[in-house]
PDB file of all heavy atoms in Angstrom:
ATOM      1  N   HIS O  74     -47.283  67.059  57.209  1.00 96.00           N
ATOM      2  CA  HIS O  74     -47.863  68.089  56.359  1.00 96.00           C
ATOM      3  C   HIS O  74     -48.808  67.508  55.315  1.00 96.00           C
ATOM      4  O   HIS O  74     -49.733  68.197  54.864  1.00 96.00           O
ATOM      5  CB  HIS O  74     -46.747  68.910  55.699  1.00 96.00           C
ATOM      6  CG  HIS O  74     -46.009  69.767  56.676  1.00 96.00           C
ATOM      7  ND1 HIS O  74     -44.800  69.390  57.219  1.00 96.00           N
ATOM      8  CD2 HIS O  74     -46.324  70.960  57.238  1.00 96.00           C
ATOM      9  CE1 HIS O  74     -44.393  70.329  58.063  1.00 96.00           C
ATOM     10  NE2 HIS O  74     -45.287  71.275  58.096  1.00 96.00           N
ATOM     11  N   LYS O  75     -48.613  66.271  54.946  1.00 97.00           N
ATOM     12  CA  LYS O  75     -49.573  65.583  54.086  1.00 97.00           C
ATOM     13  C   LYS O  75     -50.920  65.487  54.805  1.00 97.00           C
ATOM     14  O   LYS O  75     -51.981  65.758  54.214  1.00 97.00           O
ATOM     15  CB  LYS O  75     -49.034  64.197  53.726  1.00 97.00           C
ATOM     16  CG  LYS O  75     -50.068  63.155  53.363  1.00 97.00           C
ATOM     17  CD  LYS O  75     -50.785  63.453  52.058  1.00 97.00           C
ATOM     18  CE  LYS O  75     -51.746  62.303  51.718  1.00 97.00           C
ATOM     19  NZ  LYS O  75     -52.629  62.638  50.569  1.00 97.00           N
ATOM     20  N   LEU O  77     -51.988  67.343  57.409  1.00 98.00           N
ATOM     21  CA  LEU O  77     -52.537  68.680  57.622  1.00 98.00           C
ATOM     22  C   LEU O  77     -53.150  69.252  56.357  1.00 98.00           C
ATOM     23  O   LEU O  77     -54.236  69.845  56.380  1.00 98.00           O
ATOM     24  CB  LEU O  77     -51.452  69.606  58.167  1.00 98.00           C
ATOM     25  CG  LEU O  77     -50.955  69.294  59.585  1.00 98.00           C
ATOM     26  CD1 LEU O  77     -49.696  70.098  59.897  1.00 98.00           C
ATOM     27  CD2 LEU O  77     -52.036  69.571  60.613  1.00 98.00           C
ATOM     28  N   ASP O  78     -52.468  69.067  55.218  1.00 98.00           N
ATOM     29  CA  ASP O  78     -53.004  69.566  53.946  1.00 98.00           C
ATOM     30  C   ASP O  78     -54.331  68.899  53.613  1.00 98.00           C
ATOM     31  O   ASP O  78     -55.289  69.557  53.164  1.00 98.00           O
ATOM     32  CB  ASP O  78     -52.003  69.318  52.819  1.00 98.00           C
ATOM     33  CG  ASP O  78     -50.819  70.269  52.862  1.00 98.00           C
ATOM     34  OD1 ASP O  78     -50.901  71.291  53.571  1.00 98.00           O
ATOM     35  OD2 ASP O  78     -49.808  69.980  52.188  1.00 98.00           O
ATOM     36  N   ILE O  81     -57.070  70.282  55.966  1.00 98.00           N
ATOM     37  CA  ILE O  81     -57.441  71.656  55.621  1.00 98.00           C
ATOM     38  C   ILE O  81     -58.380  71.667  54.418  1.00 98.00           C
ATOM     39  O   ILE O  81     -59.416  72.346  54.420  1.00 98.00           O
ATOM     40  CB  ILE O  81     -56.179  72.496  55.330  1.00 98.00           C
ATOM     41  CG1 ILE O  81     -55.395  72.740  56.627  1.00 98.00           C
ATOM     42  CG2 ILE O  81     -56.551  73.827  54.680  1.00 98.00           C
ATOM     43  CD1 ILE O  81     -54.019  73.362  56.415  1.00 98.00           C
ATOM     44  N   ILE O 115     -59.727  75.259  60.643  1.00 98.00           N
ATOM     45  CA  ILE O 115     -58.894  75.459  59.456  1.00 98.00           C
ATOM     46  C   ILE O 115     -57.729  76.378  59.810  1.00 98.00           C
ATOM     47  O   ILE O 115     -56.577  76.139  59.415  1.00 98.00           O
ATOM     48  CB  ILE O 115     -59.718  76.053  58.296  1.00 98.00           C
ATOM     49  CG1 ILE O 115     -60.759  75.038  57.811  1.00 98.00           C
ATOM     50  CG2 ILE O 115     -58.809  76.465  57.145  1.00 98.00           C
ATOM     51  CD1 ILE O 115     -61.745  75.609  56.793  1.00 98.00           C
ATOM     52  N   ALA O 116     -58.023  77.422  60.565  1.00 97.00           N
ATOM     53  CA  ALA O 116     -56.970  78.351  60.982  1.00 97.00           C
ATOM     54  C   ALA O 116     -55.954  77.658  61.877  1.00 97.00           C
ATOM     55  O   ALA O 116     -54.741  77.847  61.727  1.00 97.00           O
ATOM     56  CB  ALA O 116     -57.588  79.544  61.713  1.00 97.00           C
ATOM     57  N   LEU O 118     -55.194  74.406  62.044  1.00 98.00           N
ATOM     58  CA  LEU O 118     -54.402  73.476  61.241  1.00 98.00           C
ATOM     59  C   LEU O 118     -53.365  74.221  60.403  1.00 98.00           C
ATOM     60  O   LEU O 118     -52.223  73.770  60.262  1.00 98.00           O
ATOM     61  CB  LEU O 118     -55.323  72.662  60.331  1.00 98.00           C
ATOM     62  CG  LEU O 118     -56.294  71.684  61.006  1.00 98.00           C
ATOM     63  CD1 LEU O 118     -57.341  71.208  60.016  1.00 98.00           C
ATOM     64  CD2 LEU O 118     -55.547  70.498  61.609  1.00 98.00           C
ATOM     65  N   SER O 119     -53.762  75.360  59.866  1.00 98.00           N
ATOM     66  CA  SER O 119     -52.855  76.145  59.027  1.00 98.00           C
ATOM     67  C   SER O 119     -51.702  76.722  59.839  1.00 98.00           C
ATOM     68  O   SER O 119     -50.557  76.761  59.373  1.00 98.00           O
ATOM     69  CB  SER O 119     -53.625  77.271  58.333  1.00 98.00           C
ATOM     70  OG  SER O 119     -54.640  76.750  57.499  1.00 98.00           O
ATOM     71  N   MET O 120     -51.991  77.170  61.048  1.00 97.00           N
ATOM     72  CA  MET O 120     -50.940  77.687  61.912  1.00 97.00           C
ATOM     73  C   MET O 120     -49.930  76.593  62.248  1.00 97.00           C
ATOM     74  O   MET O 120     -48.715  76.819  62.263  1.00 97.00           O
ATOM     75  CB  MET O 120     -51.549  78.253  63.193  1.00 97.00           C
ATOM     76  CG  MET O 120     -52.333  79.537  63.003  1.00 97.00           C
ATOM     77  SD  MET O 120     -51.288  80.943  62.535  1.00 97.00           S
ATOM     78  CE  MET O 120     -50.395  81.209  64.071  1.00 97.00           C
ATOM     79  N   THR O 121     -50.441  75.394  62.521  1.00 97.00           N
ATOM     80  CA  THR O 121     -49.547  74.274  62.821  1.00 97.00           C
ATOM     81  C   THR O 121     -48.709  73.903  61.604  1.00 97.00           C
ATOM     82  O   THR O 121     -47.499  73.670  61.713  1.00 97.00           O
ATOM     83  CB  THR O 121     -50.362  73.050  63.278  1.00 97.00           C
ATOM     84  OG1 THR O 121     -51.088  73.384  64.468  1.00 97.00           O
ATOM     85  CG2 THR O 121     -49.456  71.863  63.572  1.00 97.00           C
ATOM     86  N   ALA O 122     -49.328  73.867  60.435  1.00 97.00           N
ATOM     87  CA  ALA O 122     -48.607  73.502  59.211  1.00 97.00           C
ATOM     88  C   ALA O 122     -47.528  74.524  58.865  1.00 97.00           C
ATOM     89  O   ALA O 122     -46.470  74.168  58.328  1.00 97.00           O
ATOM     90  CB  ALA O 122     -49.587  73.361  58.050  1.00 97.00           C
ATOM     91  N   GLY O 123     -47.774  75.790  59.154  1.00 97.00           N
ATOM     92  CA  GLY O 123     -46.809  76.825  58.811  1.00 97.00           C
ATOM     93  C   GLY O 123     -45.764  77.082  59.878  1.00 97.00           C
ATOM     94  O   GLY O 123     -44.819  77.841  59.647  1.00 97.00           O
ATOM     95  N   GLY O 124     -45.910  76.451  61.028  1.00 95.00           N
ATOM     96  CA  GLY O 124     -44.986  76.709  62.126  1.00 95.00           C
ATOM     97  C   GLY O 124     -43.751  75.831  62.115  1.00 95.00           C
ATOM     98  O   GLY O 124     -43.568  74.968  61.245  1.00 95.00           O
ATOM     99  N   LEU O 140     -41.631  74.700  56.605  1.00 95.00           N
ATOM    100  CA  LEU O 140     -41.780  74.668  55.162  1.00 95.00           C
ATOM    101  C   LEU O 140     -41.396  76.010  54.540  1.00 95.00           C
ATOM    102  O   LEU O 140     -41.550  77.069  55.157  1.00 95.00           O
ATOM    103  CB  LEU O 140     -43.222  74.328  54.787  1.00 95.00           C
ATOM    104  CG  LEU O 140     -43.730  72.948  55.233  1.00 95.00           C
ATOM    105  CD1 LEU O 140     -45.189  72.781  54.802  1.00 95.00           C
ATOM    106  CD2 LEU O 140     -42.873  71.838  54.645  1.00 95.00           C
ATOM    107  N   SER O 141     -40.926  75.948  53.303  1.00 95.00           N
ATOM    108  CA  SER O 141     -40.518  77.182  52.621  1.00 95.00           C
ATOM    109  C   SER O 141     -41.723  78.080  52.316  1.00 95.00           C
ATOM    110  O   SER O 141     -41.586  79.302  52.204  1.00 95.00           O
ATOM    111  CB  SER O 141     -39.794  76.838  51.311  1.00 95.00           C
ATOM    112  OG  SER O 141     -40.642  76.079  50.449  1.00 95.00           O
ATOM    113  N   ASN O 142     -42.902  77.488  52.188  1.00 96.00           N
ATOM    114  CA  ASN O 142     -44.114  78.267  51.890  1.00 96.00           C
ATOM    115  C   ASN O 142     -44.957  78.508  53.135  1.00 96.00           C
ATOM    116  O   ASN O 142     -46.187  78.591  53.068  1.00 96.00           O
ATOM    117  CB  ASN O 142     -44.955  77.563  50.830  1.00 96.00           C
ATOM    118  CG  ASN O 142     -45.465  76.212  51.286  1.00 96.00           C
ATOM    119  OD1 ASN O 142     -44.864  75.570  52.162  1.00 96.00           O
ATOM    120  ND2 ASN O 142     -46.562  75.755  50.718  1.00 96.00           N
ATOM    121  N   TRP O 143     -44.301  78.630  54.272  1.00 96.00           N
ATOM    122  CA  TRP O 143     -45.028  78.779  55.532  1.00 96.00           C
ATOM    123  C   TRP O 143     -45.930  80.007  55.550  1.00 96.00           C
ATOM    124  O   TRP O 143     -46.989  80.007  56.188  1.00 96.00           O
ATOM    125  CB  TRP O 143     -44.043  78.828  56.701  1.00 96.00           C
ATOM    126  CG  TRP O 143     -43.054  79.961  56.678  1.00 96.00           C
ATOM    127  CD1 TRP O 143     -41.834  79.971  56.089  1.00 96.00           C
ATOM    128  CD2 TRP O 143     -43.225  81.253  57.283  1.00 96.00           C
ATOM    129  NE1 TRP O 143     -41.206  81.180  56.275  1.00 96.00           N
ATOM    130  CE2 TRP O 143     -42.043  81.982  57.012  1.00 96.00           C
ATOM    131  CE3 TRP O 143     -44.228  81.862  58.024  1.00 96.00           C
ATOM    132  CZ2 TRP O 143     -41.857  83.292  57.452  1.00 96.00           C
ATOM    133  CZ3 TRP O 143     -44.061  83.157  58.465  1.00 96.00           C
ATOM    134  CH2 TRP O 143     -42.875  83.850  58.179  1.00 96.00           C
ATOM    135  N   LYS O 144     -45.562  81.048  54.810  1.00 97.00           N
ATOM    136  CA  LYS O 144     -46.386  82.262  54.788  1.00 97.00           C
ATOM    137  C   LYS O 144     -47.751  82.003  54.151  1.00 97.00           C
ATOM    138  O   LYS O 144     -48.744  82.659  54.505  1.00 97.00           O
ATOM    139  CB  LYS O 144     -45.660  83.380  54.059  1.00 97.00           C
ATOM    140  CG  LYS O 144     -44.464  83.946  54.813  1.00 97.00           C
ATOM    141  CD  LYS O 144     -43.862  85.144  54.080  1.00 97.00           C
ATOM    142  CE  LYS O 144     -42.695  85.734  54.840  1.00 97.00           C
ATOM    143  NZ  LYS O 144     -42.087  86.904  54.132  1.00 97.00           N
ATOM    144  N   ASP O 145     -47.808  81.054  53.213  1.00 97.00           N
ATOM    145  CA  ASP O 145     -49.093  80.728  52.586  1.00 97.00           C
ATOM    146  C   ASP O 145     -50.066  80.168  53.625  1.00 97.00           C
ATOM    147  O   ASP O 145     -51.266  80.474  53.595  1.00 97.00           O
ATOM    148  CB  ASP O 145     -48.895  79.711  51.466  1.00 97.00           C
ATOM    149  CG  ASP O 145     -48.097  80.276  50.293  1.00 97.00           C
ATOM    150  OD1 ASP O 145     -48.093  81.517  50.135  1.00 97.00           O
ATOM    151  OD2 ASP O 145     -47.479  79.485  49.564  1.00 97.00           O
ATOM    152  N   TYR O 146     -49.545  79.346  54.524  1.00 97.00           N
ATOM    153  CA  TYR O 146     -50.396  78.775  55.571  1.00 97.00           C
ATOM    154  C   TYR O 146     -50.861  79.868  56.530  1.00 97.00           C
ATOM    155  O   TYR O 146     -52.017  79.864  56.985  1.00 97.00           O
ATOM    156  CB  TYR O 146     -49.644  77.694  56.341  1.00 97.00           C
ATOM    157  CG  TYR O 146     -49.431  76.431  55.550  1.00 97.00           C
ATOM    158  CD1 TYR O 146     -48.199  76.147  54.956  1.00 97.00           C
ATOM    159  CD2 TYR O 146     -50.462  75.500  55.389  1.00 97.00           C
ATOM    160  CE1 TYR O 146     -48.002  74.990  54.230  1.00 97.00           C
ATOM    161  CE2 TYR O 146     -50.268  74.333  54.661  1.00 97.00           C
ATOM    162  CZ  TYR O 146     -49.040  74.082  54.087  1.00 97.00           C
ATOM    163  OH  TYR O 146     -48.847  72.931  53.362  1.00 97.00           O
ATOM    164  N   TYR O 147     -49.981  80.793  56.839  1.00 97.00           N
ATOM    165  CA  TYR O 147     -50.352  81.884  57.737  1.00 97.00           C
ATOM    166  C   TYR O 147     -51.409  82.788  57.094  1.00 97.00           C
ATOM    167  O   TYR O 147     -52.281  83.326  57.785  1.00 97.00           O
ATOM    168  CB  TYR O 147     -49.121  82.690  58.131  1.00 97.00           C
ATOM    169  CG  TYR O 147     -48.293  82.045  59.236  1.00 97.00           C
ATOM    170  CD1 TYR O 147     -48.490  80.707  59.580  1.00 97.00           C
ATOM    171  CD2 TYR O 147     -47.337  82.764  59.919  1.00 97.00           C
ATOM    172  CE1 TYR O 147     -47.748  80.111  60.574  1.00 97.00           C
ATOM    173  CE2 TYR O 147     -46.576  82.177  60.938  1.00 97.00           C
ATOM    174  CZ  TYR O 147     -46.790  80.841  61.257  1.00 97.00           C
ATOM    175  OH  TYR O 147     -46.057  80.261  62.253  1.00 97.00           O
ATOM    176  N   LYS O 148     -51.322  82.964  55.778  1.00 97.00           N
ATOM    177  CA  LYS O 148     -52.344  83.745  55.085  1.00 97.00           C
ATOM    178  C   LYS O 148     -53.705  83.044  55.160  1.00 97.00           C
ATOM    179  O   LYS O 148     -54.741  83.686  55.350  1.00 97.00           O
ATOM    180  CB  LYS O 148     -51.940  83.948  53.621  1.00 97.00           C
ATOM    181  CG  LYS O 148     -50.784  84.920  53.422  1.00 97.00           C
ATOM    182  CD  LYS O 148     -50.431  85.046  51.948  1.00 97.00           C
ATOM    183  CE  LYS O 148     -49.253  86.001  51.753  1.00 97.00           C
ATOM    184  NZ  LYS O 148     -48.850  86.103  50.313  1.00 97.00           N
ATOM    185  N   THR O 149     -53.678  81.720  55.024  1.00 97.00           N
ATOM    186  CA  THR O 149     -54.920  80.952  55.155  1.00 97.00           C
ATOM    187  C   THR O 149     -55.485  81.087  56.560  1.00 97.00           C
ATOM    188  O   THR O 149     -56.695  81.282  56.747  1.00 97.00           O
ATOM    189  CB  THR O 149     -54.661  79.465  54.842  1.00 97.00           C
ATOM    190  OG1 THR O 149     -54.221  79.330  53.491  1.00 97.00           O
ATOM    191  CG2 THR O 149     -55.927  78.639  55.035  1.00 97.00           C
ATOM    192  N   ALA O 150     -54.617  80.988  57.558  1.00 97.00           N
ATOM    193  CA  ALA O 150     -55.052  81.129  58.947  1.00 97.00           C
ATOM    194  C   ALA O 150     -55.675  82.506  59.175  1.00 97.00           C
ATOM    195  O   ALA O 150     -56.735  82.632  59.803  1.00 97.00           O
ATOM    196  CB  ALA O 150     -53.876  80.912  59.895  1.00 97.00           C
ATOM    197  N   ALA O 151     -55.031  83.544  58.658  1.00 96.00           N
ATOM    198  CA  ALA O 151     -55.554  84.905  58.827  1.00 96.00           C
ATOM    199  C   ALA O 151     -56.904  85.070  58.143  1.00 96.00           C
ATOM    200  O   ALA O 151     -57.821  85.707  58.680  1.00 96.00           O
ATOM    201  CB  ALA O 151     -54.546  85.912  58.267  1.00 96.00           C
ATOM    202  N   GLU O 152     -57.036  84.467  56.975  1.00 96.00           N
ATOM    203  CA  GLU O 152     -58.295  84.565  56.221  1.00 96.00           C
ATOM    204  C   GLU O 152     -59.453  83.958  57.006  1.00 96.00           C
ATOM    205  O   GLU O 152     -60.535  84.565  57.115  1.00 96.00           O
ATOM    206  CB  GLU O 152     -58.140  83.855  54.871  1.00 96.00           C
ATOM    207  CG  GLU O 152     -59.421  83.773  54.064  1.00 96.00           C
ATOM    208  CD  GLU O 152     -59.279  82.904  52.824  1.00 96.00           C
ATOM    209  OE1 GLU O 152     -58.132  82.578  52.455  1.00 96.00           O
ATOM    210  OE2 GLU O 152     -60.322  82.551  52.237  1.00 96.00           O
ATOM    211  N   TYR O 153     -59.232  82.771  57.556  1.00 96.00           N
ATOM    212  CA  TYR O 153     -60.320  82.101  58.256  1.00 96.00           C
ATOM    213  C   TYR O 153     -60.546  82.667  59.649  1.00 96.00           C
ATOM    214  O   TYR O 153     -61.675  82.635  60.154  1.00 96.00           O
ATOM    215  CB  TYR O 153     -60.078  80.591  58.279  1.00 96.00           C
ATOM    216  CG  TYR O 153     -60.444  79.950  56.956  1.00 96.00           C
ATOM    217  CD1 TYR O 153     -59.501  79.822  55.935  1.00 96.00           C
ATOM    218  CD2 TYR O 153     -61.734  79.522  56.703  1.00 96.00           C
ATOM    219  CE1 TYR O 153     -59.843  79.276  54.707  1.00 96.00           C
ATOM    220  CE2 TYR O 153     -62.090  78.976  55.484  1.00 96.00           C
ATOM    221  CZ  TYR O 153     -61.139  78.852  54.487  1.00 96.00           C
ATOM    222  OH  TYR O 153     -61.499  78.326  53.276  1.00 96.00           O
TER     223      TYR O 153
END
Side-chain angles (χ1 to χ4, degrees):
H74 290 99
K75 155 68 176 171
L77 292 169
D78 285 345
I81 290 170
I115 293 172
L118 294 167
S119 299
M120 290 293 290
T121 299
L140 297 179
S141 59
N142 63 335
W143 61 271
K144 289 185 179 180
D145 294 336
Y146 288 102
Y147 280 15
K148 288 179 181 178
T149 298
E152 174 188 346
Y153 281 90

